[in-house]
């Protein structure tokens, strides 16, 4: 009896499968294709349908609106009500609000254009919360070489592409190329969505009123996109008051390595995705104090390099061995008066008024009084962002937060070297933020604090995760070819050639990949 029932049940299930299969059989999708199973699953889940003429058109492009809507239906179980005239406007709004894409990536006029592979990867990785395991097993280095066109992938997508490969959402073409700007076909869309949904650790959103995802992917463009910066709360923001994060390189001492502050050098970093450059103008050590006019000319031409590349630029009064900023306060006032007047109408400039106070100095007795003299000089000309260091080589951000400066658009710098500094310093940053003190990492290295040793990439990754989660901007030390591990370039690199992987040091490869 029991056996008979089982046989009947099995037969019924078998017939149902056959019926379902034939219902999802398309005249242009043969059983033997690699994507057939994925298409069938997509169709049976109601995520994407075929055409009335019985075709599926697997090789046709899929548009932004279609792909993002499929992802939306898959993640939340339903379409969103349209919010505008386009049928997918509600889904697109949902995607934008949840940071599946940034405002500069998909404009309304693009909804019906074919989605690029790089955007499909981004949307999928974020929508399905694909695990961020690209730091494991040196995945970055592995894919950097195995994806043959890795250097064609814009920096903002590189890690997402690695994440997608690492989680087996897709592979390259027969030449092992990713083809970031190629279109995605309908068949490929089915495959990537089905793989992502089985891979996903996403907890489906229950209703349209669920909390939006935490703000993590900030706008990341150049000056022409973001304009004048300001600080709102503790967050650096663009001219529209939207959060912005800046990433880039610091020069080494400009008195020694001005060749790496050339237009082409800075352009190379922009090519990797940087949107800021810092000019380290040492005061001592044969720097500005001892040869003012020539260093000033070098600095102004380095600023031009950044301006011509549409980048923000930090003008850094690089005190180091001269640990007390008050020592050269008059020179600082004179210098910043001239520079801030010269660049008053240029939104690119950020003024860093004391790199690293050190020695027998305190925040309240030395650094703060210095800042209270220099900032008003800058404010005569511009309301640009001013960065202020703190004692212990700009690590005492807690002291600054306890006794803050009362000016707008001020941020406190915190400097770290991954081989030397860790959770204690991160705790100080969180403390400062809790006291509403805005933080900017105007210098960090993958090395130990002396600029050599390591490199410490795991510790660096821990730091960058921490900063990313808080929307904190950072600048890496340093853009030069000196034989020290913190240098981004191998000795002998030509500052003005287009750099390849062979020119980048271990640190440089890692850092440029993180822009
Ligand atoms: C280091 C350079 C090194 C140079 C030294 C002294 O990497 O080549 O000999 O300065 O001029 C800082 C400073 C920065 C240091 C860097 C690494 O801001 O000037 O550069 N560092 O030691 N603070 C912490 C580390």
């Amino acid at each position: 009896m029991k056996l008979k029932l089982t046989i009947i049940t099995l037969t019924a299930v078998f017939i149902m499968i056959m019926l379902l299969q034939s219902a999802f059989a398309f005249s242009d999708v043969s059983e033997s294709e690699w994507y057939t199973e994925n298409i069938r699953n997509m169709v049976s889940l109601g995520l994407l349908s075929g055409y009335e003429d019985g075709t599926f058109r697997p090789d046709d492009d899929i548009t932004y609106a279609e792909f993002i809507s499929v992802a939306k239906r898959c993640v939340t179980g339903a379409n969103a009500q349209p919010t505008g005239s386009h049928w997918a406007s509600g889904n697109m709004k949902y995607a934008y609000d949840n940071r599946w894409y940034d405002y500069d990536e998909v404009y309304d006029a693009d909804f019906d254009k074919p989605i690029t592979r790089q955007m499909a990867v981004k949307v999928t990785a974020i929508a399905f919360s694909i695990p961020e395991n690209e730091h494991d097993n040196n995945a970055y280095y592995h894919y950097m070489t195995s994806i043959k066109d890795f250097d064609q992938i814009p920096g903002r997508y590189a890690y997402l592409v690695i994440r997608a490969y690492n989680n087996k959402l897709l592979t390259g073409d027969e030449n092992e190329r990713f083809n970031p700007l190629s279109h995605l076909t309908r068949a490929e869309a089915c495959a990537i969505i089905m793989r992502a949904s089985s891979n996903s650790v996403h907890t489906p959103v229950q209703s349209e009123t669920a909390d939006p995802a935490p703000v993590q992917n900030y706008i990341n463009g150049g000056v022409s996109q973001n304009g004048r910066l300001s600080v709102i709360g503790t967050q650096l923001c663009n001219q529209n008051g939207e959060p912005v994060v800046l990433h880039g390189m610091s020069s080494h001492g400009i008195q020694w390595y001005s060749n790496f502050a050339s237009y082409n050098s800075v352009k190379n970093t922009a090519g990797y995705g940087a949107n800021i450059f810092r000019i380290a103008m040492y005061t001592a050590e044969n720097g500005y104090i001892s040869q003012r006019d020539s260093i000033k000319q070098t600095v102004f031409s380095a600023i031009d390099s950044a301006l011509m590349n549409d980048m923000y630029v930090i003008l850094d009064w690089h005190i180091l061995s001269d640990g007390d900023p008050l020592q050269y306060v008059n020179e600082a006032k004179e210098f910043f008066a001239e520079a801030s007047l010269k660049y008053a109408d240029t939104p690119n400039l950020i003024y860093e008024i004391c790199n690293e106070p050190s020695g027998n100095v305190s925040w309240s007795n030395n650094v703060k009084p210095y800042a209270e003299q220099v900032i008003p000089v800058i404010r005569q000309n511009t309301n640009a962002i001013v960065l202020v260091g703190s004692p212990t080589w700009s690590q005492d951000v807690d002291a600054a937060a306890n006794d803050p400066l009362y000016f707008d658009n001020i941020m406190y710098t915190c400097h770290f070297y991954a081989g030397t500094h860790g959770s204690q310093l991160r705790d100080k940053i969180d403390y400062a933020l809790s006291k509403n003190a805005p933080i900017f990492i105007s210098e960090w290295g993958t090395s130990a604090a002396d600029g050599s040793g390591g490199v410490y990439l795991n510790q660096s990754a821990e730091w960058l995760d921490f900063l990313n989660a808080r929307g904190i901007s950072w600048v890496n030390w340093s853009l030069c070819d000196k034989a020290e591990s913190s240098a981004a370039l191998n000795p002998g690199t030509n500052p003005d050639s287009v750099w390849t992987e062979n020119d980048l040091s271990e640190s440089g490869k890692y850092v440029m990949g993180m822009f």
Side-chain angles (χ1 to χ4, degrees):
M1 183 63 187
K2 214 172 171 191
L3 184 71
K4 217 172 165 186
L5 245 181
T6 313
I7 291 174
I8 292 171
T9 320
L10 278 177
T11 317
V13 167
F14 181 73
I15 291 170
M16 267 179 62
I17 289 176
M18 294 300 289
L19 277 172
L20 277 172
Q21 289 215 349
S22 62
F24 300 128
F26 296 103
S27 58
D28 55 353
V29 178
S30 85
E31 278 305 313
S32 57
E33 292 294 349
W34 64 270
Y35 48 67
T36 307
E37 170 101 13
N38 292 315
I39 292 181
R40 187 177 296 136
N41 290 335
M42 285 278 274
V43 174
S44 63
L45 289 168
L47 295 172
L48 191 61
S49 48
Y51 292 89
E52 281 181 1
D53 65 1
T55 62
F56 185 78
R57 305 181 199 168
D59 297 324
D60 278 9
D61 293 340
I62 187 162
T63 66
Y64 283 95
E66 288 166 344
F67 186 82
I68 287 171
S69 296
V70 169
K72 163 78 172 73
R73 291 193 285 271
C74 192
V75 169
T76 70
N79 281 316
Q81 284 299 320
T83 53
S85 55
H86 195 282
W87 64 267
S89 51
N91 293 338
M92 299 304 277
K93 180 174 186 313
Y94 176 90
Y96 177 73
D97 288 345
N98 285 281
R99 309 250 165 202
W100 296 4
Y101 67 86
D102 284 336
Y103 84 102
D104 63 322
E105 291 177 308
V106 190
Y107 296 101
D108 289 6
D110 297 334
F111 285 8
D112 294 322
K113 291 187 184 149
I115 192 169
T116 59
R117 287 167 60 83
Q118 66 190 23
M119 274 309 298
V121 160
K122 174 169 178 173
V123 167
T124 309
I126 298 173
F128 292 89
S129 306
I130 299 303
E132 291 181 28
N133 51 8
E134 60 265 25
H135 299 304
D136 303 347
N137 307 323
N138 283 324
Y140 188 80
Y141 294 111
H142 169 69
Y143 289 112
M144 197 162 158
T145 46
S146 67
I147 301 177
K148 296 298 179 225
D149 57 349
F150 193 79
D151 59 345
Q152 310 289 311
I153 304 173
R156 73 201 288 193
Y157 305 107
Y159 261 90
L160 295 164
V161 172
I162 290 173
R163 193 176 305 167
Y165 272 66
N166 227 3
N167 286 281
K168 305 202 169 13
L169 300 192
L170 80 174
T171 53
D173 67 11
E174 62 280 8
N175 298 318
E176 295 173 63
R177 297 173 67 86
F178 170 65
N179 304 314
L181 294 177
S182 295
H183 300 164
L184 195 77
T185 67
R186 286 165 55 83
E188 287 166 344
C190 291
I192 188 171
I193 294 279
M194 283 295 103
R195 289 171 191 154
S197 67
S198 63
N199 191 306
S200 169
V201 292
H202 196 280
T203 335
V205 180
Q206 292 308 331
S207 76
E208 296 297 330
T209 55
D211 288 342
V215 176
Q216 270 181 6
N217 296 282
Y218 295 100
I219 300 151
N220 221 337
V223 180
S224 56
Q225 259 178 45
N226 288 302
R228 281 204 185 268
L229 303 173
S230 65
V231 179
I232 302 177
T234 57
Q235 180 62 49
L236 187 62
C237 291
N238 68 12
Q239 61 191 357
N240 303 323
E242 296 159 324
V244 72
V245 172
L246 306 178
H247 292 158
M249 293 301 305
S250 173
S251 75
H252 195 285
I254 202 79
Q255 76 274 38
W256 298 308
Y257 286 99
S258 61
N259 50 338
F260 288 98
S262 68
Y263 168 76
N264 284 320
S265 262
V266 175
K267 184 179 180 165
N268 273 310
T269 70
Y272 287 104
N275 53 9
I276 186 166
F277 182 63
R278 175 185 190 238
I279 299 165
M281 186 183 79
Y282 277 65
T283 40
E285 300 196 55
N286 271 330
Y288 177 75
I289 298 298
S290 58
Q291 36 174 345
R292 298 187 197 185
D293 288 337
S294 67
I295 294 282
K296 213 177 350 185
Q297 288 325 310
T298 311
V299 164
F300 289 161
S301 91
I303 291 178
D304 284 346
S305 302
L307 302 191
M308 288 186 293
N309 281 299
D310 195 29
M311 290 165 104
Y312 291 97
V313 56
I314 298 176
L315 185 44
D316 161 35
W317 184 259
H318 201 83
I319 63 165
L320 189 61
S321 57
D322 45 338
D324 183 352
L326 287 170
Q327 185 180 347
Y328 294 122
V329 63
N330 291 330
E331 289 81 351
K333 283 158 76 173
E334 192 191 313
F335 174 78
F336 282 111
E338 180 180 347
S340 63
L341 180 63
K342 183 172 164 77
Y343 297 107
D345 298 321
T346 313
N348 311 53
L349 270 281
I350 295 175
Y351 300 93
E352 182 171 1
I353 60 174
C354 51
N355 168 51
E356 292 187 353
S358 66
N360 189 21
V361 293
S362 76
W363 167 258
S364 299
N365 294 330
N366 304 74
V367 185
K368 190 180 181 197
Y370 165 83
E372 285 173 334
Q373 289 190 61
V374 175
I375 294 169
V377 168
I378 298 174
R379 285 292 176 259
Q380 293 237 309
N381 299 317
T382 168
N383 211 17
I385 305 292
V386 174
L387 305 179
V388 188
S390 56
T392 322
W393 301 281
S394 291
Q395 291 167 56
D396 293 350
V397 287
D398 49 342
N402 287 337
D403 181 14
L405 287 159
Y406 292 99
F407 298 94
D408 287 340
N409 294 340
I410 298 297
M411 302 184 87
Y412 302 97
T413 63
C414 185
H415 290 181
F416 71 87
Y417 280 75
T420 307
H421 311 111
S423 58
Q424 273 189 336
L425 189 53
R426 290 194 285 270
D427 289 347
K428 281 193 182 191
I429 292 178
D430 275 339
Y431 173 79
L433 292 173
S434 77
K435 292 255 170 179
N436 271 325
I439 299 294
F440 194 110
I441 309 292
S442 59
E443 189 184 300
W444 74 276
T446 57
S447 65
D450 64 358
S452 64
V455 287
Y456 299 91
L457 298 187
N458 291 336
Q459 289 84 342
S460 298
E462 218 174 313
W463 266 104
L464 295 192
D465 286 346
F466 172 89
L467 300 178
N468 287 340
R470 288 160 182 74
I472 297 179
S473 297
W474 56 253
V475 174
N476 178 261
W477 184 266
S478 72
L479 191 67
C480 75
D481 68 343
K482 185 168 177 173
E484 62 180 6
S485 60
S486 57
L489 301 162
N490 287 325
T493 299
N494 176 352
D496 294 310
S497 63
V498 176
W499 300 334
T500 67
E501 216 189 304
N502 295 333
D503 296 315
L504 301 184
S505 67
E506 213 186 333
S507 181
K509 278 180 198 150
Y510 176 78
V511 172
M512 307 268 182
M514 299 307 276
F515 294 153

